[in-house]
Amino acid sequence: MEDKEAAAATEVQSEYNPDINQDELIMQRHREIEKEIWESTSLVGEKEDLSSLEAEYLTDEVYQAKVKDLLRKYQYIRRTRPDGNCFYRAFAYAYFERLLNHQKEYESFKEIIVQSKLSLMSSGFSTVTLDDFHDTFMEVVNVLSKGASAQEQLFKLFNEQGYSDYVVVYLRLITSFQLQRDADFYQNFIEGDRTIAEFCRQEVEPMYKESDHIHIIALSSALDVGIRVRYMDRGQSTEAIAHDFPEGSHARVHLLYRPGHYDILYPVESD
């Protein structure tokens, strides 16, 4: 309450003091809104019936049509915090949850992650930087082998900021490595004069930076995990269009994209 009163007082003061920077006031309000969202939204939410989306778009015919299309294909949604890390967090939770019931795939993935540290080190990433992130990531991966309690432990860890964010950081580093390893290919996706290395330092490795197609392609290729993203936008189609990454792959993770944000989807039928 005190924060809101202080913000209101600042806004009133600004009307009578032209020297106050209006851009700073806008940024301050933006930070306050972000803080409210963070405090009211779990990093990873409980699984909900997908019909809960309908209530969000009661007066929007375009989005209502897309929700109806989704309901024919998906049964549940799991929401993630809209903090710029939502793609990585949603992907990690959805895939880890899948691995609980796919032992052979789990063993293969675990080996990929063990080897990934060596690849990152050989490409110039600092051991000091990698050790903590890799070790924490492996702690979470190892939870998946704990039997009946694994699901509960996974949900708990993904809602502990330290563990959850370390998982995100490590996936960002893997994405950066993949982009730089295949720089000749990915350079075609970069706008302007930035190199792939510059793009990674500015748009991939830092926390809270949002993700686009290039990030998804790189991560799905690095981990050999097919990702299907359903897009809800204002396009003319009544369908929530699906894009598979890499193209033609078998989707093991299903995500819903709404402008600037990713949540987890659960198909009506899954393997």
Side-chain angles (χ1 to χ4, degrees):
M1 180 63 73
E2 292 178 359
D3 288 344
K4 292 182 178 179
E5 290 176 353
T10 303
E11 290 177 7
V12 171
Q13 181 183 6
S14 69
E15 294 182 16
Y16 302 98
N17 187 348
D19 294 331
I20 289 181
N21 189 315
Q22 295 298 315
D23 289 339
E24 178 56 33
L25 288 175
I26 293 170
M27 288 300 296
Q28 177 182 325
R29 182 58 188 147
H30 181 68
R31 287 191 293 269
E32 289 168 358
I33 292 171
E34 284 186 339
K35 183 180 178 184
E36 290 172 4
I37 291 173
W38 284 27
E39 291 176 346
S40 63
T41 309
S42 299
L43 291 167
V44 175
E46 298 282 358
K47 187 187 287 188
E48 304 174 27
D49 194 283
L50 187 59
S51 61
S52 64
L53 272 183
E54 291 182 299
E56 297 183 33
Y57 302 106
L58 291 176
T59 60
D60 193 316
E61 293 182 2
V62 173
Y63 278 92
Q64 277 283 341
K66 294 178 191 292
V67 171
K68 288 177 181 175
D69 173 60
L70 285 171
L71 284 168
R72 289 191 285 270
K73 302 173 177 107
Y74 297 92
Q75 189 169 3
Y76 300 106
I77 184 172
R78 192 187 294 273
R79 301 170 193 270
T80 63
R81 181 179 291 177
D83 60 1
N85 296 316
C86 53
F87 162 67
Y88 293 100
R89 208 178 316 270
F91 165 80
Y93 192 88
Y95 190 54
F96 286 8
E97 194 175 29
R98 171 189 166 82
L99 293 178
L100 291 171
N101 300 310
H102 293 79
Q103 183 63 30
K104 186 175 180 180
E105 192 174 337
Y106 166 68
E107 296 296 340
S108 297
F109 175 73
K110 189 174 179 179
E111 183 59 28
I112 288 172
I113 296 303
V114 169
Q115 293 300 319
S116 69
K117 182 180 178 181
L118 301 176
S119 298
L120 289 167
M121 289 171 57
S122 68
S123 67
F125 286 91
S126 165
T127 304
V128 176
T129 302
L130 288 175
D131 281 344
D132 284 348
F133 296 126
H134 181 265
D135 290 349
T136 301
F137 194 96
M138 287 304 301
E139 279 189 57
V140 180
V141 170
N142 288 332
V143 163
L144 304 181
S145 64
K146 303 244 174 180
S149 66
Q151 177 82 58
E152 183 180 344
Q153 290 184 58
L154 184 66
F155 186 76
K156 179 180 178 183
L157 289 178
F158 264 82
N159 279 291
E160 290 184 16
Q161 193 87 46
Y163 278 97
S164 200
D165 283 357
Y166 269 43
V167 168
V168 169
V169 169
Y170 197 69
L171 290 178
R172 285 183 176 276
L173 295 178
I174 289 175
T175 303
S176 176
F177 165 76
Q178 185 72 16
L179 288 166
Q180 294 183 71
R181 192 187 74 168
D182 298 332
D184 289 344
F185 170 73
Y186 289 109
Q187 187 66 55
N188 298 313
F189 296 88
I190 305 299
E191 296 180 357
D193 298 326
R194 285 188 292 183
T195 65
I196 284 289
E198 290 170 337
F199 176 81
C200 288
R201 285 196 300 270
Q202 296 165 9
E203 306 294 340
V204 181
E205 295 170 17
M207 290 289 278
Y208 311 115
K209 286 288 188 176
E210 294 184 4
S211 303
D212 207 339
H213 284 198
I214 188 171
H215 306 77
I216 306 175
I217 296 169
L219 185 62
S220 61
S221 299
L223 298 180
D224 192 26
V225 178
I227 304 172
R228 175 167 294 169
V229 180
R230 291 278 178 180
Y231 288 82
M232 279 187 67
D233 54 27
R234 295 209 162 272
Q236 293 183 349
S237 173
T238 58
E239 182 182 0
I241 301 297
H243 289 272
D244 290 341
F245 304 92
E247 188 175 347
S249 64
H250 170 64
R252 294 184 171 90
V253 169
H254 294 255
L255 303 178
L256 174 65
Y257 177 80
R258 289 174 285 176
H261 184 62
Y262 296 85
D263 288 313
I264 302 167
L265 289 172
Y266 294 84
V268 173
E269 296 180 3
S270 64
D271 59 355

